[in-house]
Amino acid sequence: MGFLNAIIKNIAPVFIATSPVTSYADQIYAIHRTRSSAGFSLDIPLIMLVASILKVFYWFGAHFSTSLLIQALLTIAVHILLLHVALSHRPAPTHLPFQHSASIRPYDFWQWRNPRPYWSFITYFSIALLLAHMLLSPTRMFIPYTNLLGMVALAIEATLPLPQLLANWQRRGCKGFRPSVIANWVVGDSFKMWFFFASSSGEVPWAFKACGIFQACCDLGLAAQYLVWGDGPVGVVGKEVRSPPPEIDGFVSEKLGERGAMGVGIEMDGGQAWERPRGL
């Protein structure tokens, strides 16, 4: 067991440092190839960018493992690229009859149609942290401040799978979210947990371990969703469910009192609307 732990401790830092590239390269390529980010939650880049930027500033107070710092820096670069690709290939909003798509977030946060607010938020967030770092670094409050940043960063990162879990649950499917990402999350977090608990005391703060365990449990939930639902039911694209064609003839005469003229009839069923031409 000691020999295996020694191998893990030597291999894990390289695996952890490069995990952002191995986890999301396939997702970025898939969105670019299909020219669509439908099914992919934009909250994933938000969570990872905010958490990783906070972890970089946390390192100046905690000086945790260098591999974790490199991972945070690579994560920022990879998720900036992922966000750019996802925004560039975002599907157009659907405009179904009688459908209201009101955002439940204040000021439509992170649901903007214009890409510029996304980059403005990341820029202002980083500048604010840099100014706070410069002001507090000469004071006694610096270490407690960086410890707070670390706890917030790891708590945010632990919620990473939750938006995708919710989106998959609403669609009853995982279409648009690459199984390679799920596999990397499950394997990577399992590997990371082993490294955390095999490392010497003080090398990995306890907050990393607690949040890592929660995140690993969520990853297993994503894997279970994919095994049970796969891409989801036929006819579901993103959140749009395509209505089946009507099977009962003569609905035009029942609804409009006419039969035999050419035109278009409209039928309402559970808030959905579909059209069909009238027969002769």
Side-chain angles (χ1 to χ4, degrees):
M1 192 67 178
F3 175 72
L4 186 59
N5 283 340
I7 294 176
I8 294 295
K9 288 175 66 176
N10 286 291
I11 296 177
V14 178
F15 182 85
I16 289 173
T18 58
S19 61
V21 177
T22 57
S23 296
Y24 294 100
D26 186 49
Q27 181 74 64
I28 294 171
Y29 174 73
I31 294 175
H32 176 72
R33 177 174 53 82
T34 60
R35 296 290 191 270
S36 175
S37 60
F40 177 75
S41 175
L42 286 177
D43 289 334
I44 290 177
L46 168 66
I47 290 171
M48 293 307 298
L49 283 170
V50 170
S52 299
I53 292 170
L54 287 171
K55 279 198 290 185
V56 169
F57 286 97
Y58 173 41
W59 183 86
F60 289 97
H63 294 288
F64 49 78
S65 173
T66 305
S67 61
L68 294 173
L69 175 62
I70 296 173
Q71 181 196 46
L73 294 171
L74 276 177
T75 298
I76 293 171
V78 168
H79 279 274
I80 285 176
L81 178 59
L82 177 57
L83 179 61
H84 169 71
V85 173
L87 290 175
S88 299
H89 301 300
R90 205 164 23 162
T94 57
H95 296 288
L96 297 178
F98 309 103
Q99 183 186 40
H100 301 283
S101 57
S103 172
I104 60 174
R105 299 185 184 183
Y107 306 103
D108 293 331
F109 178 73
W110 213 254
Q111 294 179 335
W112 306 294
R113 294 306 304 176
N114 188 343
R116 184 174 180 179
Y118 294 89
W119 306 117
S120 297
F121 172 79
I122 296 299
T123 301
Y124 293 146
F125 178 73
S126 302
I127 291 174
L129 286 174
L130 178 61
L131 291 176
H133 178 88
M134 294 173 63
L135 289 173
L136 294 175
S137 57
T139 69
R140 292 179 299 175
M141 294 296 296
F142 184 65
I143 298 300
Y145 164 72
T146 55
N147 288 337
L148 176 62
L149 291 184
M151 288 188 289
V152 172
L154 295 168
I156 292 173
E157 185 176 357
T159 67
L160 171 64
L162 295 182
Q164 196 66 49
L165 276 168
L166 179 60
N168 294 346
W169 176 266
Q170 292 173 340
R171 296 192 308 267
R172 295 297 190 272
C174 304
K175 186 175 179 64
F177 191 63
R178 299 291 294 173
S180 60
V181 176
I182 300 175
N184 270 285
W185 282 3
V186 173
V187 174
D189 284 338
S190 301
F191 204 81
K192 187 167 61 177
M193 285 299 96
W194 196 331
F195 170 69
F196 284 175
F197 287 99
S199 298
S200 57
S201 178
E203 186 177 1
V204 179
W206 66 266
F208 276 91
K209 301 176 182 179
C211 294
I213 291 173
F214 175 79
Q215 191 171 353
C217 293
C218 293
D219 293 344
L220 293 176
L222 274 173
Q225 286 182 331
Y226 186 79
L227 291 175
V228 173
W229 292 325
D231 284 342
V234 178
V236 177
V237 180
K239 295 184 179 180
E240 177 185 354
V241 180
R242 297 175 182 174
S243 303
E247 299 178 356
I248 303 176
D249 292 332
F251 80 98
V252 176
S253 60
E254 294 174 6
K255 298 296 179 182
L256 303 179
E258 295 183 6
R259 182 195 295 267
M262 292 300 294
V264 176
I266 300 178
E267 175 74 355
M268 295 296 300
D269 182 15
Q272 300 284 339
W274 38 260
E275 300 179 349
R276 96 175 232 193
R278 302 177 189 173
L280 293 174

